[in-house]
Amino acid sequence: MTGTQLLNYPATDFRFRSPNSHSIQLHSVAMTSPIPPLSRAATVTSPQLPLALWPPLDFALGALSCCGACVFTNPLEVVKTRLQLQGELRARGTYQRHYRGVVQALWVVGRTDGLRGLQKGLSAGLLYQGLMNGVRLGFYSYCDAVGVTAAPGGSLMSGAIAGALGAIIASPAYLVKTHLQAQTVEAIAVGHQHNHQGVMSAFANIYWREGVAGLWRGVNGAVPRVMVGSATQLATFSSTKEWVARLQWYSPNSWLVALTAACISGVAVTITMTPFDVISTRLYNQPVDEHHSGRLYQGFSDCLVKVCRTEGLLGLYKGMGPVFFRLCPHTILSMLFWDLMRQRAFQDVQNQS
């Protein structure tokens, strides 16, 4: 999903257009302009491939945009992690529930751990967002620039591959983030407590205890999580946004179109991705034995079977509320920041040429 597809500014404001976003723009103009759609379409002889930024710069812009969004949504990530670990491998009604929903969980964490507790794991989260989304958005932008996304199914495939690459590269940061966000005082602790002293201490402890391979423990749950989330987002957002624009609920090119589409798309992504998110969190946070193997789960499929057997199907949807409330603002903020920075970058390139 490009920044163009998300915000859909007027054509005069664009420095970056893909074939897909160009067709959406023509559709929007056809609804609001007195020029008949066919006559406007006749002026387009062939789709133009978008300009491409220098890949390292595109990586940096994608990383910065998602890091900016992470600062605002990290408290929801803390709550999501706690809810997903609560009652691990125990039947409903057999464990004490410290967290009972998004608002109550935010209150409990803030009251017990302080305001700083709501930003636990922020530095590791920023590292993860920078690496994962820098690779993800940079790779997808490159695919868009060379025309891969214009092919049937190209957008979906590019998004899935980009998500998988980002998840693999950034997996150690997500591992440490999960450990730190699960840590708290004994009174409200859930899941295994690793008791790291900080980000660098966590990386060092994992490395000395499990070696380099230990830093990528749990990646088999992260890759399908990001692939499913990325593919679902790309498959639903653009079509939903076009549908909302066609209904003319808001003025043309209003940011509310993107906001509404993000919320609707967020429901689809939340439903499809939450089970993978729960499994990923469990695999990352589980303790290991002297052979560096997980004490609770042997892998993705083993975790899936054990959660369903002991906690029921609803166990796969723990933390669904904060997943949704985090996803919508994070998508809007990250794509907004990314689009604005890319537009400025393209302006600078054109001014220098």
Side-chain angles (χ1 to χ4, degrees):
M1 183 193 326
T2 63
T4 297
Q5 290 171 315
L6 177 68
L7 296 175
N8 202 13
Y9 289 125
T12 56
D13 291 338
F14 277 122
R15 301 294 183 268
F16 181 86
R17 282 198 299 270
S18 68
N20 291 337
S21 60
H22 187 61
S23 62
I24 295 174
Q25 182 66 29
L26 287 179
H27 178 77
S28 175
V29 171
M31 293 189 298
T32 60
S33 173
I35 300 176
L38 289 178
S39 64
R40 174 61 59 91
T43 63
V44 182
T45 56
S46 61
Q48 296 290 323
L49 292 180
L51 298 172
L53 285 175
W54 184 45
L57 177 59
D58 224 354
F59 172 91
L61 294 180
L64 286 173
S65 64
C66 292
C67 285
C70 178
V71 173
F72 297 97
T73 60
N74 190 66
L76 291 169
E77 188 74 13
V78 173
V79 168
K80 180 212 74 172
T81 300
R82 303 281 180 88
L83 285 169
Q84 290 177 343
L85 292 173
Q86 183 170 246
E88 186 171 16
L89 296 183
R90 299 181 65 178
R92 291 175 63 87
T94 63
Y95 59 89
Q96 182 179 2
R97 294 180 61 190
H98 300 295
Y99 311 101
R100 299 179 179 274
V102 179
V103 177
Q104 186 266 355
L106 288 170
W107 167 254
V108 169
V109 174
R111 182 188 61 189
T112 307
D113 293 339
L115 293 179
R116 292 184 60 183
L118 292 171
Q119 289 289 13
K120 279 193 174 181
L122 177 61
S123 54
L126 291 173
L127 179 61
Y128 170 73
Q129 291 292 335
L131 289 173
M132 196 276 285
N133 285 297
V135 172
R136 175 177 174 260
L137 296 179
F139 180 83
Y140 185 81
S141 178
Y142 175 78
C143 292
D144 193 43
V146 299
V148 174
T149 57
S155 179
L156 194 66
M157 185 61 66
S158 297
I161 295 175
L165 289 174
I168 293 172
I169 293 173
S171 184
Y174 197 93
L175 172 68
V176 171
K177 178 191 75 69
T178 302
H179 286 188
L180 293 176
Q181 291 179 339
Q183 286 184 187
T184 185
V185 297
E186 185 177 355
I188 58 171
V190 291
H192 182 72
Q193 300 292 292
H194 293 271
N195 298 319
H196 299 303
Q197 299 303 310
V199 175
M200 298 308 298
S201 170
F203 278 115
N205 290 341
I206 295 170
Y207 173 76
W208 289 115
R209 186 175 62 245
E210 306 174 48
V212 174
L215 293 171
W216 270 268
R217 182 168 50 84
V219 70
N220 54 338
V223 171
R225 168 187 174 270
V226 178
M227 288 184 69
V228 168
S230 182
T232 303
Q233 184 184 61
L234 291 167
T236 59
F237 184 84
S238 294
S239 58
T240 303
K241 181 166 165 291
E242 187 177 358
W243 172 71
V244 173
R246 191 184 302 120
L247 293 176
Q248 298 183 340
W249 289 346
Y250 313 107
S251 60
N253 303 313
S254 171
W255 63 273
L256 290 173
V257 175
L259 178 62
T260 304
C263 291
I264 297 174
S265 179
V267 174
V269 176
T270 301
I271 292 173
T272 56
M273 194 177 73
T274 298
F276 295 91
D277 202 25
V278 171
I279 293 173
S280 179
T281 299
R282 299 286 181 88
L283 290 175
Y284 274 125
N285 196 66
Q286 70 170 332
V288 295
D289 58 23
E290 61 276 9
H291 302 294
H292 304 158
S293 298
R295 292 182 180 274
L296 301 178
Y297 315 104
Q298 299 303 312
F300 182 91
S301 57
D302 182 56
C303 182
L304 175 64
V305 170
K306 286 182 176 178
V307 171
C308 291
R309 183 182 300 161
T310 57
E311 303 174 48
L313 289 177
L314 291 179
L316 294 173
Y317 284 92
K318 286 183 175 179
M320 187 174 179
V323 169
F324 173 74
F325 287 112
R326 170 194 168 275
L327 187 66
C328 287
H330 190 276
T331 299
I332 287 293
L333 290 172
S334 60
M335 291 297 103
L336 176 62
F337 294 155
W338 189 44
D339 185 82
L340 293 176
M341 288 189 293
R342 296 184 88 251
Q343 286 190 51
R344 181 57 184 268
F346 277 116
Q347 289 175 359
D348 292 341
V349 170
Q350 289 192 345
N351 291 336
Q352 293 174 4
S353 61

